[in-house]
Every structure is written in C-alpha cells, then in structure tokens.
Amino acid sequence: MKFPNMKLLNDVILDYSNPDKIYKLAREYDRLQQGSAAFGFYLRAADMSPGKTIKDQWLQYKCMILSSFIYERNGNRGQSVEGLLKIAIDTLPDRPEAYYFLAKYKQDKDDWRECLMYAKIGLSCNTSLDNSWFTDNDVGYPGDDELRLIYARAKWKTNGRDDSKNLAFDLKYKRKVSPEVDRGATALLAEHGYPSTLAYVRNEFDRFKYAFTGLEDIEKNYSRHFQDMFVLSVLDGKRDGTFVELGCGHPELYNNTLLLEEEFGWRGISLDNSERMCHIFSRQRNTNIICADAATVDYKVMFKQNCLEQHIDFLRINAERASVEALSRIPFDKYEFSVIQFQHNAVWWGPEFREESRKILTKIGYVLLVSDVSTDEKSNYEDWWVHPMHAKRKIVMKSVGKHNFAWDYIMEKQK
Amino acid sequence: MHDLHIGGLAAWALKRGGSLHPVLLPQSVLGNETGIMNPSIFSYKGKILLNIRHINYILYHSEGKKFPHQWGPLVYIHPENDVTLTTHNVMCELDAGLNLKSAQRIDMALDTGKPTWNFIGLEDARLFEWDDKLYLCGVRRDCYDSKGTGRMELCHIEFVDGQWTEISRHPIPAPNGDGSFCEKNWMPVIDMPYHFVKWCNPTQVIKFDIEEGTTVDAFVEEGERKPFGRDFRGGSQVIRINDQQRMAFIHETNLLRDPFGRKDGEYSHRIVIWDNDWNLIHASHNFHFMGTYYDHVTNTDYGIEFVTGMTVHPDNGDILISFGWQDNASFILRMPQKTFLDFLMDNR
C-alpha cells in the first residue's frame, strides 16, 4: 500500500503553515479512507487559516464538516459530530451545508424536532451568495431539494399534516430534482398520502395545459383538484356564466364556484344539507345558498324560482350518497349544462354510483370527457362531463378509460 | 537551523535528499479509521518491520485553539459508550521503498484477564531483537490495579502459522522497590540484551533479569543535570553508532493548560549520544519533525509528535526514524547517513 501523491505531502512538509496545502493533503488521506490522519490535517488546516476572508472561512467551514464525517465513520461519537457541525455553522452561518448535515444526522437519530429546526434554518440560507469561493462542493452537499425532503419528513413526524405532503408533492411534481430526491418524495407520498388540495397559483401559469382567457389574472384557485379551472378551460374563461352546485360545502375552502363568482362574475345556486355550513356560506358569499337534502329537492321548481335560464354553464354534484338520486332529479328535459362534474367516490364506495351516473348522463347525450379524476395516482373519485357541443370543440383533452390524476391532467410535467 | 523552526526535521531532511513516508493501513486492519500512532521501526533479518499502535480513538488537538472541541483543545474522542482507550498492535512489513507490504494485528494471546483499568493494551511498544528473539516492549496499565498503575512489559512475538503472536510476556518491575505509579517509554539498548535506558539527564540504565523477573540499576548518572531544562524521556531504541558511542531519539514534553484549565501540550525531540560509560556527551537542539502551531502572543508551540523507533535501512544504510503525528498518523523519515550526520554536526 503506497501513498499515491507524495507531492501533496512534500508540499505540506515544506510549507507546514499553508492551510490550502494542508487541506489538500487531508483530502487525499480522506480519499484513502485514513480517517484519523485526514482529521488531524483538516483540523490543522482550519487552525492555520487566518479566517479573515470568506475564502479562509470557507476552507475552515469545509474542514469542520469533513471532520464530522470522519467521526461519523468512527461510529458512536455523536457529540463530536454535532460539535463539529455547530462550529461550521458558527464559521459560516449563512451557508446551508452544515445545517443540512445536522438535519440529516438528527433525522437518522429520530430526533425530529431538531431535524426540523436545522432543515428550516438551512432552507432559509441564501445559497446564491455571489462569491466565487463557494464554487466547490467538497463536502458533497446534495442541494436544497435534499434539504427540503428532510424538512418534509420532519414536518410529517412533528405534526403529521398537509405541510409535509405539500412539500413532498412540490418536490415530485413541481421541481426538477435528482432521482434520489424523487424516490424520497415518492416514498413520502406513498406512505402518507397526497395533499388534500392541489392548488393552482399564478407562478404555475406556464405549466397550465389548457390556458383560457383571463388565466393570467388568476392569483389562485379554490377547488381541491382544479374543478373550477377545468370549467373555465372548457368555456375559455367565460364571464357572467351560471352554475348550480349541489353539496357546495364551505364557501371558500375547497369551493368550486368562488373563483367563478369572484373573478369571472358568475352567479348561481349553491345547496348544502348542513345548516351550519349554509349559515357560514350566506355570510360570505353573494350566491344564493339553499339548505336542503339534495335527494329531495324539486329542481324544476328550484331553478324556476331562482330564474335560471334553460342553459346553465356548470352543474356540480357532490351530495355524498345522495348524488345519484340528485342527478336523477335534474330536469335535463328542460335544462342543459355545458359542464357537469359528478363526484362518485368510486375509490371509497366502489363503482356502483359511478356506473349509475354514467348510464344517466350517457343516455341523455352528455360526453364523458375526463373519467375517474383522481386525488393521486390511484384514488379516483369523480367524472367530468361536457355537453356534446363542447366535446366537438376539443378545447381540453379527452381522457377516458383510466384514472386521471388531476395534476397530470391539468399541468405539464416539470421539464 | 532556521529550517527546523520553519518546518521541522522532515523539511530539513527533504531538502537534503531525505524523504518522508506516510504509513497507510488497509481497511481490513484499520477498521473504522481511528488513530494509528507511535510506530516503531526495526530492521530484522534483512526485513524492515514496523509495529504500529492502533487505538480506538482519534486525538482531537486544536493546536491553534481556534476550533477546540467542546471538551477542550486536546481530547481523546473515543466511542461514547466505551470510556476505554484501547490499543492494538499491528505488525507491518515494508518494502525497500518503505511502502507497506503486509499488515496484521498481533494476537496478544496472553490477554486473558478482564482489564482492571480503562487504558487497555500494550502502549507505545518499541520493536527490537535480543538474543535472536523479536520483542515488543511498552507500558501496560490494564492489569495491575484499578488506578492505572503502569509497568513496562516485554513481549516476545513470533510469526507462527501465518499469524503474529505473543509467545511470552514479562512484566518489568520498577527499580528500587517497584514503588512508582507508572513506568513508560523505557528505551531498549539494542546491543545490550535486557538493558533499558529509563530516561536521561540524569541517565538511568536498568537491567532486567528475564528469568527472575527482577530489575536492578545498571547505571545511574550522578552529579548535576545538564542545563537542558527538562527531563529527556524515551524515545527510540538505543543503537550503537560506533565502538565508543550509542545514540537515541528522546522526547521532551511541555504540558500546558488552556484558560479553562484543560490540558494541552507540546512534544519536541532531541538526538542524544552517550559514551560507553553512559555519559551524555551530546544532545542536539530540540526540534520537531513536522512543525508546530506557534502562538506569537505567548511564544508557545503546540503540537504532538512522538518518536518510538529508529533503525538503519538494510539495503542502503539510510537512517529510518518512525514517529507518530498528533496520535493520528504515522510516518517514517528517511535520512541518508550523510544528511543525518550533517544534522548531528550542525547540532553540536
């Protein structure tokens, strides 16, 4: 066994106070898996560096981090590993690397509160500091996305809620990440589920597949899985449209008509069987709210009393197990709808409601444009239909006979 | 001599035809990359052998005090669930170019009892030959009591059936009643079997009766100590350099404390020469092998180096000196004889 690069050693011997040369020798020992010698030279390089410039501090910072790796390889020296990384933070507190390695260390120890803290601080660092000394990556920092992944894990472990799912989802679907991060994010989503809401926000404008008039003015939408955006796509951002929503839920949270009403001037009727929800709705929205059981309503009377025209732009039915009964009560002989969304919840309830609804709507000529819209890659829960006239216009893509994960259907893949 | 203050003996030698050779151990021996230190080199039957002390810790020594460990500037970082500082000895064979040919942990076959103290194993062992037998002699502190009492132990080792093995073990009582707390760093006198230089200035030579297991003073220097300031402690083996003289590398320590009272230190070395009557007739200036961290404010050097072996290259007569650096690395300094002698002459 031979030391392969004697020049590195001789350079140090002849210039024993030169931190750059000592650092290179330490790197060589490290590469040769001679950890103790590498550590000794890392520490000397850090000590010999004046530490007055960013260049000096960058070298010291790397020495501390790389030394911590050696103690980790030694095994069972956690306090020293942590101590070295904390010295690194003290040296360059605005760099993310040491925070990342501390977060990772804490993750491996199941110490999720501290993991969360270090990951969060690391993510707040400004990695775009304009300084050429930060160009090397000797410490093997895998990038901010790996830190985000750790943060997502820590978020789940510390509060178990949507924050974690959103972080994992962003990594998998919104960012171009390494295969390792993609695998990690995929595993997180598989284990904990997808976010309950996949929202559109303005900075995703370029990825929205079915752009429509007025899209550029939308800051965000409200539906859980782009139901409102789909309606606007089919109707090219129609203004002053009309809607009927059976099972409207909260007036804002996950609501499918708020965007239409507020941004595009639509009006219509919303119905829900929860008195409490109707009370909240009536105080927040201009839309008429009717508190009733969707399975018992005479819709011909209701539509007439509310002066709806025979052509209505959007019908949405989400009345839980009353949905099919509600659908069967809609007076399709008197009223027509441009877009119909029917929530059948097949993933949870089985195919019975879905098949029944499809029979009804197919029989009267509506076209199933997007079948089995899904909350993730497999959880299908509703169908999106259009009037035959819109089906011919092919504004949006027809996708039938499979699960349609809402994100993939609406958004372009990350390039 | 200016060079010695800039870069130490290694730099001095490198500029004059010498070379420094790092000792690397393969992963199969090194394991989890803890320290390899205090190597003892010895030319034995035409082979170049090297015993290395492989420890279960890494020494954390922030020479400049800019990045001390949370427990101090000089700390032994052992496993957090194991407070012992454990030593294994690794026997290496080097080729003529001082590259590693083989390395194997010595089977200390006579380690049978449970350690009674937390410094375990034979530490800082020197390698040498007496009466056609190969020996290691170092300090052991794990078997005498629970307080760390240490005694030199002489271990006969052999390469048996493909394995370096301890054949016999001989604890060496301290001279004059065996009353001391810890004996260490005795220097074996290569041409005088069973004699050690315990230390010098004043020089004390011990004779060990291996059959009886007893020691007597063979020589104790009388009179005033030489004006060098500090004790001279071992050290390499003591080798004969001509009909009239013997020579060894010795070390001096400057044990320091940081502002919080935590330990720190500096080791330096000298080459000493005795006449046949054990009169110390020469001591070089003290020097470092690699150098130190020099604190300009306090005029203090910081650095840990330790020499434990010296021999003559069997092929070309070069002087080979083995030393540990920061308890974390091992090196062999090769010096052509002329370079070595020039160094000695410069140091008169």
Side-chain angles (χ1 to χ4, degrees):
Chain A
M1 201 170 179
K2 186 176 180 180
F3 196 79
N5 195 338
M6 291 296 286
K7 183 177 182 308
L8 289 177
L9 177 64
N10 292 341
D11 284 348
V12 168
I13 295 168
L14 297 173
D15 194 1
Y16 192 54
S17 299
N18 185 311
D20 295 318
K21 292 176 181 176
I22 299 168
Y23 175 75
K24 285 179 185 170
L25 180 62
R27 292 280 290 163
E28 181 70 354
Y29 267 114
D30 209 354
R31 188 183 69 78
L32 296 168
Q33 297 180 293
Q34 307 288 307
S36 60
F39 169 74
F41 284 111
Y42 280 136
L43 193 53
R44 181 170 176 83
D47 263 341
M48 295 312 300
S49 173
K52 291 180 178 168
T53 65
I54 293 293
K55 170 186 176 288
D56 297 340
Q57 291 159 8
W58 180 236
L59 182 135
Q60 292 172 326
Y61 179 77
K62 290 188 295 183
C63 286
M64 293 299 110
I65 292 175
L66 292 166
S67 293
S68 78
F69 297 167
I70 293 168
Y71 278 119
E72 200 154 10
R73 296 207 297 270
N74 290 160
N76 209 351
R77 288 159 174 86
Q79 294 183 63
S80 297
V81 172
E82 279 191 52
L84 285 162
L85 291 171
K86 288 173 180 172
I87 295 173
I89 288 172
D90 178 53
T91 305
L92 280 177
D94 293 330
R95 293 295 306 174
E97 295 87 353
Y99 294 110
Y100 164 75
F101 290 111
L102 262 169
K104 185 169 182 294
Y105 178 78
K106 292 296 181 180
Q107 169 190 265
D108 295 344
K109 300 287 179 200
D110 261 2
D111 188 347
W112 292 104
R113 285 283 170 204
E114 293 215 10
C115 175
L116 184 78
M117 175 185 73
Y118 288 123
K120 181 71 171 179
I121 299 171
L123 287 170
S124 72
C125 291
N126 181 4
T127 55
S128 64
L129 284 174
D130 182 22
N131 195 303
S132 59
W133 294 116
F134 299 136
T135 53
D136 74 73
N137 188 17
D138 289 353
V139 299
Y141 178 58
D144 292 354
D145 285 332
E146 187 75 37
L147 193 51
R148 287 189 180 91
L149 180 63
I150 290 178
Y151 184 64
R153 290 192 187 109
K155 263 292 184 192
W156 178 262
K157 291 288 186 178
T158 50
N159 74 11
R161 304 192 66 172
D162 252 14
D163 294 344
S164 170
K165 297 176 181 179
N166 284 325
L167 287 161
F169 187 87
D170 286 357
L171 287 170
K172 182 165 177 59
Y173 289 97
K174 297 185 182 180
R175 303 180 68 85
K176 185 169 178 56
V177 298
S178 68
E180 291 75 22
V181 172
D182 184 67
R183 274 196 294 275
T186 302
L188 263 184
L189 291 169
E191 187 177 356
H192 306 141
Y194 278 55
S196 57
T197 304
L198 303 178
Y200 170 83
V201 288
R202 177 177 272 174
N203 64 14
E204 284 153 1
F205 177 88
D206 291 337
R207 296 178 60 189
F208 193 81
K209 285 182 183 174
Y210 312 115
F212 53 83
T213 304
L215 176 63
E216 64 276 11
D217 297 325
I218 297 177
E219 287 286 344
K220 63 171 186 174
N221 77 327
Y222 299 94
S223 292
R224 272 196 143 140
H225 295 103
F226 307 108
Q227 285 86 350
D228 45 9
M229 301 297 283
F230 173 79
V231 172
L232 290 168
S233 290
V234 172
L235 302 176
D236 192 22
K238 180 174 180 177
R239 299 204 168 264
D240 304 324
T242 52
F243 62 84
V244 172
E245 185 175 25
L246 309 183
C248 60
H250 192 275
E252 180 179 338
L253 190 63
Y254 313 142
N255 190 274
N256 297 298
T257 58
L258 178 59
L259 177 69
L260 305 176
E261 179 186 311
E262 279 196 340
E263 305 292 332
F264 290 84
W266 290 36
R267 62 185 178 81
I269 304 167
S270 291
L271 179 148
D272 204 280
N273 66 351
S274 162
E275 285 189 23
R276 181 174 182 170
M277 201 61 80
C278 292
H279 180 71
I280 296 169
F281 198 104
S282 67
R283 293 164 69 95
Q284 292 190 18
R285 293 280 296 272
N286 293 324
T287 295
N288 287 342
I289 178 72
I290 295 169
C291 193
D293 178 354
T296 62
V297 171
D298 183 336
Y299 289 102
K300 193 182 290 184
V301 172
M302 189 177 89
F303 290 176
K304 193 171 180 180
Q305 286 176 342
N306 285 276
C307 303
L308 293 181
E309 293 171 0
Q310 284 189 318
H311 180 87
I312 299 169
D313 293 301
F314 176 34
L315 169 64
R316 176 165 177 87
I317 302 177
N318 173 21
E320 302 292 320
R321 293 183 183 274
S323 291
V324 170
E325 178 60 27
L327 179 66
S328 66
R329 286 171 165 263
I330 299 294
F332 286 108
D333 55 334
K334 300 284 186 189
Y335 294 88
E336 66 174 23
F337 303 89
S338 297
V339 180
I340 299 173
Q341 292 175 349
F342 184 85
Q343 185 167 330
H344 51 62
N345 292 338
V347 65
W348 302 293
W349 298 347
E352 185 183 346
F353 287 102
R354 179 182 67 187
E355 299 312 316
E356 190 64 26
S357 66
R358 286 180 181 179
K359 271 185 202 169
I360 294 170
L361 290 169
T362 304
K363 188 175 178 182
I364 56 178
Y366 281 87
V367 175
L368 180 57
L369 200 70
V370 190
S371 68
D372 290 312
V373 176
S374 304
T375 60
D376 52 31
E377 308 280 4
K378 58 189 178 188
S379 303
N380 56 326
Y381 75 108
E382 64 184 46
D383 290 337
W384 293 347
W385 301 76
V386 292
H387 192 274
M389 181 183 73
H390 295 293
K392 286 175 190 168
R393 288 170 56 197
K394 295 183 179 174
I395 297 169
V396 295
M397 185 181 73
K398 184 172 184 178
S399 181
V400 175
K402 61 167 191 166
H403 291 182
N404 281 289
F405 176 37
W407 180 269
D408 282 345
Y409 179 78
I410 291 288
M411 293 293 191
E412 295 284 3
K413 288 195 185 310
Q414 179 66 39
K415 288 177 180 142
Chain B
M1 292 313 301
H2 180 64
D3 286 11
L4 287 176
H5 294 292
I6 296 296
L9 182 59
W12 195 93
L14 193 62
K15 292 174 184 172
R16 294 163 176 82
S19 53
L20 188 68
H21 300 260
V23 180
L24 310 179
L25 288 185
Q27 280 296 298
S28 57
V29 177
L30 189 58
N32 61 351
E33 303 179 57
T34 48
I36 54 172
M37 59 189 282
N38 301 353
S40 185
I41 196 164
F42 185 67
S43 176
Y44 179 67
K45 298 183 191 291
K47 295 179 177 178
I48 304 173
L49 299 182
L50 184 77
N51 181 71
I52 290 186
R53 181 180 173 193
H54 182 204
I55 47 183
N56 71 333
Y57 62 88
I58 285 183
L59 181 71
Y60 189 119
H61 184 208
S62 176
E63 299 162 280
K65 320 294 165 254
K66 294 178 186 171
F67 299 97
H69 193 277
Q70 56 261 43
W71 301 323
L74 195 156
V75 183
Y76 303 102
I77 310 298
H78 52 73
E80 285 165 7
N81 63 350
D82 176 8
V83 297
T84 65
L85 300 179
T86 300
T87 293
H88 295 284
N89 284 285
V90 176
M91 183 60 75
C92 305
E93 184 181 347
L94 309 180
D95 65 18
L98 305 177
N99 301 308
L100 188 76
K101 282 175 71 176
S102 65
Q104 185 185 64
R105 181 182 286 188
I106 298 172
D107 178 10
M108 301 302 277
L110 304 177
D111 275 342
T112 53
K114 186 179 175 188
T116 59
W117 204 54
N118 56 17
F119 284 26
I120 298 173
L122 188 69
E123 299 174 354
D124 300 334
R126 277 72 173 179
L127 181 65
F128 53 95
E129 178 193 3
W130 276 338
D131 291 344
D132 208 28
K133 291 177 182 173
L134 199 59
Y135 285 104
L136 286 176
C137 189
V139 58
R140 183 178 290 279
R141 308 179 69 177
D142 62 9
C143 62
Y144 295 102
D145 56 28
S146 60
K147 297 181 292 188
T149 294
R151 288 290 176 266
M152 299 299 292
E153 287 194 350
L154 185 63
C155 301
H156 172 207
I157 56 169
E158 278 185 14
F159 192 62
V160 180
D161 296 333
Q163 172 66 51
W164 283 101
T165 305
E166 182 186 29
I167 302 299
S168 64
R169 180 181 298 187
H170 308 277
I172 305 174
N176 307 313
D178 197 26
S180 63
F181 172 58
C182 185
E183 298 293 337
K184 53 190 347 188
N185 298 321
W186 292 12
M187 296 181 281
V189 184
I190 300 295
D191 67 316
M192 293 176 64
Y194 312 109
H195 285 72
F196 298 91
V197 175
K198 178 172 153 52
W199 54 38
C200 43
N201 196 28
T203 298
Q204 182 177 7
V205 181
I206 306 292
K207 182 179 182 186
F208 175 51
D209 185 329
I210 194 168
E211 300 298 332
E212 298 294 325
T214 58
T215 50
V216 293
D217 285 336
F219 173 80
V220 178
E221 184 181 0
E222 303 288 344
E224 299 220 344
R225 294 171 68 177
K226 305 285 188 302
F228 297 118
R230 289 183 276 186
D231 293 341
F232 291 175
R233 302 158 188 260
S236 66
Q237 309 94 330
V238 179
I239 65 171
R240 181 169 279 289
I241 51 174
N242 56 46
D243 289 345
Q244 305 299 319
Q245 296 169 328
R246 295 185 179 90
M247 177 182 75
F249 281 73
I250 58 88
H251 83 273
E252 296 164 88
T253 57
N254 188 12
L255 298 177
L256 305 160
R257 295 281 168 183
D258 79 352
F260 305 101
R262 302 175 300 193
K263 77 174 184 179
D264 202 341
E266 178 236 352
Y267 285 52
S268 63
H269 291 83
R270 295 180 197 255
I271 301 168
V272 297
I273 297 176
W274 298 269
D275 65 15
N276 279 342
D277 296 325
W278 295 108
N279 294 307
L280 191 65
I281 59 173
H282 175 77
S284 71
H285 289 296
N286 67 329
F287 60 85
H288 302 93
F289 282 93
M290 304 284 268
T292 60
Y293 183 95
Y294 177 61
D295 185 333
H296 296 265
V297 177
T298 61
N299 191 28
T300 306
D301 286 291
Y302 296 92
I304 306 292
E305 296 172 338
F306 198 68
V307 66
T308 37
M310 172 178 56
T311 196
V312 177
H313 196 296
D315 296 345
N316 56 30
D318 288 349
I319 305 299
L320 307 176
I321 306 129
S322 56
F323 64 95
W325 178 81
Q326 299 284 19
D327 282 10
N328 285 325
S330 292
F331 293 95
I332 301 162
L333 178 62
R334 181 190 63 81
M335 295 177 75
Q337 281 199 9
K338 182 179 181 309
T339 304
F340 185 76
L341 290 173
D342 286 348
F343 175 71
L344 275 180
M345 294 304 109
D346 279 354
N347 272 276
R348 272 188 221 262

